[in-house]
Amino acid sequence: MSAHSVFTAYLLAAAALPAGVHSQTAQRLGYAADAKLLIIHADDLAVAHAQDRASFEALSRGAVSSASIMVPCPWLTEVAEYAKAHPEADLGLHLTLTSEWKTYRWGPVAPRDQVASLLDPHGYLFPDAGEAARHIKPEEAEREVRAQVETALRMGIRPTHLDSHMGVLFSKPALVAVYANVAHEYHLPFLMLKVPGVPPEMYSALKPTDVILDHIFMAAPPLKPEDWLSYYTHILKTLPAGVSELIVHLAYDDDEMKAVTTNHPDYDGAWRQRDFNVVTSPEFRQALEENHIKLITWRELGKLLPRP
Amino acid sequence: MSAHSVFTAYLLAAAALPAGVHSQTAQRLGYAADAKLLIIHADDLAVAHAQDRASFEALSRGAVSSASIMVPCPWLTEVAEYAKAHPEADLGLHLTLTSEWKTYRWGPVAPRDQVASLLDPHGYLFPDAGEAARHIKPEEAEREVRAQVETALRMGIRPTHLDSHMGVLFSKPALVAVYANVAHEYHLPFLMLKVPGVPPEMYSALKPTDVILDHIFMAAPPLKPEDWLSYYTHILKTLPAGVSELIVHLAYDDDEMKAVTTNHPDYDGAWRQRDFNVVTSPEFRQALEENHIKLITWRELGKLLPRP
């Protein structure tokens, strides 16, 4: 199974949730049951400067309401400076157990010999989410995830939430448990749906007070460039009631980004530039307004958790 | 002492070597005693895509005759692919014990807990060469250096030589010994001068068969942008006989490089673009020809070593 298809399969199942099987999260937030609440979420901050620049621009324009950061990536210091200068920005940690590009790689934050099951033969994180999920020992995933949270905190980042790069931590019960346990320990909300048909042991580490979303949407192959705007505006026009997240990947398609994503058309620089162009377009903004969609943040969702 | 000034002081001392105190390396190579032999050497490959692109371009044009690679840096895979596609390219390892930029950082290759004396509080290599030299335990430097060589070999790089990023391995006898010992073990020549006035214990790990250069030149602050071409052509016009290395730092001054080198005017993107412009200029090429300078490589120097 390819890197993105694990996550995509999960998301598509999520997107197919029947109307009415929702989480009550909107009501817990104080909204009417028919409110359409949406987090527009930029993934992959710190992966590249072009990704950071485009994501910071979209955050500052309010084109996205939230974003998450890849701690093992080289541009973390740039993002930490942004986070400290913009304490209002809704920034979580995009817990990272894969390094998926061909020319440009990163390793773990924890000592390599303590997380050996996470590494390819060159000492980088595995490129493929399926391969990662098969090889990773849950106790080593937990060590790495904890090291990522601690590194972010030490650098002055105050994360509003957790999620999982390429869905590795959504892929099997033992890894979902790592994800939920670390989130509980740090009192952070985390991206999670309850999907009909998914075996219940997938959710066994969850607590009744956890914040559950109703729907997630994310562009996935084989979406064609000419269909980009209509794909996104269709999501907005048909957005169900409840709490949804729309995941986007924002970057400028410059020399750096083309080189990072070389030989990988899915989610490459051009893909990310199209995402940026759509979320900052007047048509997208108009569709948000016309469909009475209220943008929310993970910080608001975090307020639903019991006080530590 | 600032990051570059340790190395710079060393180099300036080297550049001031009196004529005639030379190494016999030219004669060992079969050249006349008055031959002017020069390695034009691009440092810092793998640090950034803009650095790689400019350095590959200069290598392919013959504007530089050699280059070296920073193994802990994110773009190593890109450089390894280049090295495998260009087995004739003269590529060494720029052994790296510092991570000097402000927005963009890297850690060690060895497990962090085995090289703790190399790390700043965020788990990256120290930004400053002086600080690194003070804190680093030689046995941990050796562990990291060895891990860098092994990683390069595993990725298919066949290094022609070793040198030291920001001169950390030239800074005290115990670190020079690490450098020389690892080079001896892998049968590689390594950048080394014998500078009058330097305490002899600095050289105690060297062997009589080691290849010693006569002169090293490198642009250093406070060189002004308008003096760039004349600085380099002056070096060529006055190049002494013997084996010299001219160290340059080549990059395109694009968004990535500006961001990597932000708030650090010395050796920033603009500096590296000027270096690229000079070494690829007709004036520079003409000065090489008019002054009868023969470009050589580290591969040729390596042939002087005893067969393993």
Side-chain angles (χ1 to χ4, degrees):
Chain A
M1 208 172 203
S2 87
H4 288 283
S5 63
V6 170
F7 193 28
T8 305
Y10 174 78
L11 291 172
L12 293 180
L17 259 182
V21 182
H22 64 72
S23 62
Q24 315 293 327
T25 303
Q27 291 95 313
R28 287 175 67 196
L29 285 168
Y31 290 95
D34 64 349
K36 293 186 269 188
L37 307 178
L38 181 64
I39 299 168
I40 305 180
H41 190 274
D43 278 16
D44 297 1
L45 272 68
V47 74
H49 179 59
Q51 186 92 19
D52 293 347
R53 278 201 300 139
S55 302
F56 297 162
E57 173 70 17
L59 282 163
S60 74
R61 289 200 207 179
V64 298
S65 60
S66 187
S68 62
I69 304 167
M70 296 172 71
V71 172
C73 289
W75 293 92
L76 178 64
T77 312
E78 175 172 79
V79 179
E81 291 308 308
Y82 178 89
K84 287 183 278 186
H86 300 82
E88 76 294 352
D90 199 69
L91 296 172
L93 303 183
H94 200 49
L95 300 169
T96 301
L97 300 177
T98 43
S99 169
E100 70 271 35
W101 307 111
K102 298 192 192 314
T103 51
Y104 174 84
R105 309 287 308 276
W106 50 85
V109 169
R112 281 182 164 86
D113 54 351
Q114 294 183 16
V115 293
S117 71
L118 277 58
L119 306 183
D120 77 5
H122 298 141
Y124 299 119
L125 297 171
F126 282 112
D128 182 87
E131 201 180 1
R134 277 194 305 281
H135 285 92
I136 288 175
K137 293 179 184 167
E139 65 275 20
E140 295 188 356
E142 181 158 344
R143 193 172 289 144
E144 174 61 20
V145 162
R146 207 177 289 276
Q148 292 184 13
V149 176
E150 286 295 323
T151 297
L153 292 172
R154 244 191 338 267
M155 293 185 70
I157 296 168
R158 296 290 165 260
T160 55
H161 63 290
L162 300 180
D163 56 22
S164 169
H165 183 54
M166 294 167 66
V168 177
L169 291 167
F170 309 147
S171 63
K172 56 187 189 185
L175 293 177
V176 174
V178 165
Y179 175 55
N181 292 343
V182 172
H184 293 151
E185 179 180 330
Y186 289 95
H187 306 287
L188 292 170
F190 53 100
L191 179 62
M192 183 55 59
L193 294 183
K194 287 198 175 165
V195 182
V198 168
E201 61 265 32
M202 219 48 165
Y203 303 118
S204 55
L206 269 57
K207 292 183 179 177
T209 48
D210 285 337
V211 172
I212 304 297
L213 301 198
D214 298 302
H215 309 276
I216 303 180
F217 302 93
M218 185 176 89
L223 185 61
K224 290 180 186 156
E226 61 269 29
D227 295 333
W228 229 257
L229 179 63
S230 60
Y231 168 80
Y232 280 109
T233 53
H234 178 77
I235 290 171
L236 301 185
K237 285 176 189 162
T238 58
L239 191 74
V243 179
S244 300
E245 176 162 296
L246 173 61
I247 296 173
V248 294
H249 301 83
L250 307 182
Y252 298 123
D253 188 27
D254 66 3
D255 282 330
E256 178 201 22
M257 206 67 212
K258 286 184 209 293
V260 166
T261 62
T262 190
N263 291 325
H264 193 302
D266 297 345
Y267 304 95
D268 70 356
W271 178 298
R272 289 162 194 248
Q273 179 76 58
R274 288 193 293 274
D275 269 8
F276 178 83
N277 294 348
V278 165
V279 298
T280 58
S281 71
E283 295 85 350
F284 185 83
R285 179 165 295 267
Q286 191 182 345
L288 284 169
E289 288 170 8
E290 287 179 356
N291 294 285
H292 311 290
I293 294 165
K294 163 89 178 143
L295 294 192
I296 63 167
T297 61
W298 276 101
R299 185 173 281 119
E300 290 171 68
L301 294 178
K303 292 180 181 156
L304 299 180
L305 297 181
R307 299 271 87 197
Chain B
M1 207 170 206
S2 84
H4 287 282
S5 63
V6 170
F7 193 28
T8 305
Y10 175 79
L11 291 173
L12 293 182
L17 258 184
V21 183
H22 64 70
S23 61
Q24 314 293 328
T25 303
Q27 292 95 311
R28 289 175 66 196
L29 285 168
Y31 290 95
D34 63 351
K36 294 187 268 187
L37 307 178
L38 181 64
I39 298 168
I40 305 180
H41 191 275
D43 278 15
D44 296 1
L45 273 68
V47 73
H49 178 60
Q51 186 91 19
D52 293 348
R53 278 200 302 138
S55 302
F56 297 162
E57 174 70 17
L59 282 163
S60 75
R61 290 200 209 179
V64 298
S65 59
S66 187
S68 63
I69 305 167
M70 297 172 70
V71 172
C73 289
W75 293 91
L76 178 64
T77 313
E78 175 172 78
V79 179
E81 291 307 308
Y82 178 88
K84 287 183 279 186
H86 300 83
E88 76 294 352
D90 199 68
L91 296 171
L93 302 183
H94 200 50
L95 300 169
T96 300
L97 300 177
T98 43
S99 168
E100 70 271 35
W101 307 111
K102 299 193 192 312
T103 50
Y104 175 84
R105 309 288 308 277
W106 50 85
V109 169
R112 281 181 164 87
D113 54 351
Q114 293 183 15
V115 292
S117 71
L118 277 58
L119 306 183
D120 78 4
H122 297 141
Y124 299 119
L125 297 171
F126 283 112
D128 182 87
E131 201 180 2
R134 278 195 304 282
H135 285 92
I136 288 175
K137 294 180 183 165
E139 65 275 20
E140 296 187 356
E142 181 158 343
R143 192 172 290 144
E144 174 61 20
V145 163
R146 208 177 288 277
Q148 292 184 14
V149 176
E150 286 296 323
T151 297
L153 292 173
R154 245 192 336 267
M155 293 183 70
I157 296 167
R158 296 289 164 260
T160 55
H161 64 290
L162 300 180
D163 56 22
S164 169
H165 183 54
M166 294 168 65
V168 177
L169 292 166
F170 309 148
S171 63
K172 56 187 190 185
L175 293 177
V176 174
V178 165
Y179 176 55
N181 292 343
V182 172
H184 293 150
E185 180 180 330
Y186 289 94
H187 307 287
L188 292 171
F190 53 100
L191 180 61
M192 183 55 59
L193 295 183
K194 286 196 175 167
V195 182
V198 168
E201 62 264 32
M202 220 45 166
Y203 304 118
S204 55
L206 268 58
K207 294 183 179 178
T209 48
D210 285 337
V211 172
I212 304 297
L213 301 199
D214 298 303
H215 308 276
I216 303 180
F217 302 94
M218 185 177 88
L223 185 61
K224 290 180 186 154
E226 60 269 29
D227 295 333
W228 230 256
L229 179 62
S230 60
Y231 168 80
Y232 280 108
T233 54
H234 179 77
I235 290 171
L236 301 185
K237 285 175 190 164
T238 59
L239 192 74
V243 179
S244 301
E245 177 162 296
L246 173 60
I247 296 174
V248 294
H249 300 83
L250 308 182
Y252 297 123
D253 188 27
D254 65 3
D255 282 329
E256 177 201 21
M257 207 66 211
K258 286 183 208 295
V260 166
T261 63
T262 190
N263 291 324
H264 193 303
D266 297 345
Y267 304 94
D268 70 356
W271 178 299
R272 290 162 194 248
Q273 179 76 58
R274 289 193 292 274
D275 269 9
F276 178 83
N277 294 349
V278 166
V279 298
T280 58
S281 71
E283 294 86 349
F284 185 84
R285 178 167 296 266
Q286 191 183 344
L288 285 170
E289 288 170 8
E290 286 179 357
N291 294 285
H292 311 291
I293 295 165
K294 163 87 178 145
L295 295 191
I296 62 167
T297 61
W298 276 102
R299 185 173 282 119
E300 290 171 68
L301 294 178
K303 290 180 182 157
L304 300 179
L305 298 181
R307 299 271 87 196

